[in-house]
Amino acid sequence: MKKKTGRKLSTLAVLGLSFTMLVTACGSGGNNASPSQAPAATSGDQPAATASAATANTPLQKALNGEYKGTKVTMFGPFVDADQVKFETSIKDFEEKTGIDIQYEGSKEFEATINVRVDGGNAPDIADFPQPGLLAAIAKTGKVIDLNTVLDPEKLKSNYNKSWLDMATMDGASGKIMAGIWNRSNVKSLVWYPKKQFEEAGYQVPQTWDEMMALTEQIAKDGDPAWAIGIESGAATGWAATDWIENIMLRTTTPENYDKWVKGELPFTSPEVKNAVEIMSKIWMNKDYVYGGTKSIVTTAFGDAPKPMFENPPKAWFNLMGNFITSFFPENVKVDQDYDWFYLPPIDEQYGKPVLVAGDIYAMFNDRPEVRAVIEFFTTGESIKSWVQSGGVVAPMNDASLDWYQSESDRRMAKLVQDASTLRFDGSDLMPGKVGAGSFWKGMTDYVSGTATLDQALEQIQKGWKN
């Protein structure tokens, strides 16, 4: 690696990027008490909750007062193994305080099983959907309870970025409903980099797309490819490319167009989508910008792609990936010291600083007082506190304290989600499987590998909607 000289980009005040660009139209930082906290004794030895909950006398407050002790609430979802342990730990305190037994059942076949159970009249009281597209399909049947009739809309507005509520609003059997509430999220607009080496090289975090591209070119002139990219993932090869397109779409067109694209109303062959792929191609199709060159992208496993960043000296510098990717980093590297992330910069400033997310949305199928209490509990940061503290997830609620996060990186990430001007869910997860997990993956793979032109690939992807 050559000594890094030449053009310097925006200052590391950009880490202020993580706080100003950090997108949350609402961050309280968690300084307000959660309505799920244990009721404290008043001078009259009567249980008290937060002022808002006590005033409203909501199902959650009644549960904390012991009114539903001895009841059971069934829950079905995809959490198994370590995730199931973390989930069950996160609800243990609530169960002890209220006497409500949340009977959770996890399954690796959740997506296939939930439809069978709902259709067969055996739906759980609450179900956790990691793919809101699946929930949207079930909501149309009228079997999902409209949470607008269960939860206080004003409280939801105060505790969630509006985009979360927008993404939870779906078509019911006879109009729009609040189909679920968000409880866990992860972030997909992050560019990871080797922090210590990056600073030693004299590089500075870019605040704009143009600055990022200028830094990409500078790194190439200094003798290294800037980007570590891999989309190989067995039968799911190509999914990592969809995250790039989704992020760029949010930065180059309106949220409404993004929503139309996800629904199939804006075709892949449209100028908006083609433009997004062309912007991505300025990086991906430049052999000087990608570690191993363009042809290596399709054969490099997404989890192996970041490894060159941790060589000494680094052989690559950037990796765009969700926060889960740190599980694939070498065990000896430390967050905030050896590596960090910056927000993938905006392209067209009129579209603000959007954030691409994925996560879990909880839907309610049976309406009983204790079920209402549990679903209300899941709208509070307290419901995911222990999981946040253990690492690996971001709470979408505004009353989740940033102090719960164990690293500065995670705190900035949570702030990013809270402050986002626009939040949108992973597009391929919202599209029908034939497209989002089918023609979209394959079409991008064919394009990058060179077996299809861009126009051919986009036409091929679009055909997935016909199936």
Side-chain angles (χ1 to χ4, degrees), residues 223-239:
D224 295 327
W227 291 89
I229 306 172
I231 65 171
E232 193 281 322
S233 186
T237 293
W239 72 260

Side-chain angles (χ1 to χ4, degrees), residues 73 75 87 91 94-95 100-104 374 377-378:
V73 173
M75 188 166 176
F87 172 75
I91 62 175
F94 172 82
E95 290 180 303
I100 298 174
D101 180 12
I102 301 176
Q103 298 183 334
Y104 176 78
V374 173
F377 168 62
F378 284 137

Side-chain angles (χ1 to χ4, degrees), residues 233-256:
S233 186
T237 293
W239 72 260
T242 70
D243 284 2
W244 276 75
I245 303 304
E246 290 152 6
N247 268 298
I248 296 173
M249 283 286 289
L250 288 174
R251 286 158 175 76
T252 55
T253 191
T254 64
E256 292 75 17

Side-chain angles (χ1 to χ4, degrees), residues 230-435:
I231 65 171
E232 193 281 322
S233 186
T237 293
W239 72 260
T242 70
D243 284 2
W244 276 75
I245 303 304
E246 290 152 6
N247 268 298
I248 296 173
M249 283 286 289
L250 288 174
R251 286 158 175 76
T252 55
T253 191
T254 64
E256 292 75 17
N257 271 344
Y258 182 90
D259 296 339
K260 290 179 180 178
W261 173 55
V262 166
K263 295 176 182 178
E265 297 169 5
L266 181 71
F268 273 85
T269 52
S270 70
E272 291 87 351
V273 181
K274 184 174 182 179
N275 177 58
V277 182
E278 288 175 337
I279 290 174
M280 182 193 78
S281 299
K282 290 179 181 179
I283 293 174
W284 286 42
M285 298 304 185
N286 189 323
K287 62 181 178 60
D288 295 330
Y289 290 175
V290 179
Y291 181 77
T294 299
K295 292 184 178 180
S296 71
I297 293 175
V298 174
T299 58
T300 300
F302 74 90
D304 291 337
K307 290 181 179 178
M309 297 196 308
F310 299 104
E311 296 191 28
N312 190 16
K315 293 183 178 179
W317 295 85
F318 301 143
N319 178 247
L320 174 64
M321 191 60 66
N323 54 302
F324 72 90
I325 195 62
T326 58
S327 299
F328 294 86
F329 288 178
E331 293 182 1
N332 62 322
V333 299
K334 298 180 180 179
V335 65
D336 298 328
Q337 297 179 34
D338 299 311
Y339 68 89
D340 201 351
W341 59 269
F342 62 82
Y343 168 75
L344 182 68
I347 297 174
D348 188 330
E349 63 181 18
Q350 70 174 306
Y351 301 121
K353 292 161 184 152
V355 176
L356 185 69
V357 295
D360 296 83
I361 184 170
Y362 295 175
M364 181 172 154
F365 287 91
N366 299 307
D367 192 357
R368 302 189 308 278
E370 62 271 23
V371 183
R372 289 188 171 216
V374 173
I375 202 74
E376 185 181 349
F377 168 62
F378 284 137
T379 68
T380 68
E382 195 74 19
S383 68
I384 199 173
K385 179 178 180 179
S386 66
W387 202 335
V388 167
Q389 291 173 324
S390 69
V393 301
V394 172
M397 313 84 165
N398 299 323
D399 67 342
S401 173
L402 297 180
D403 293 337
W404 296 347
Y405 295 90
Q406 301 302 297
S407 70
E408 181 61 22
S409 172
D410 283 350
R411 279 188 287 275
R412 291 194 298 111
M413 202 178 299
K415 189 81 167 71
L416 180 69
V417 171
Q418 288 179 349
D419 289 340
S421 57
T422 300
L423 287 168
R424 282 297 184 270
F425 203 87
D426 182 297
S428 61
D429 281 348
L430 293 174
M431 295 173 185
K434 293 286 187 180
V435 182

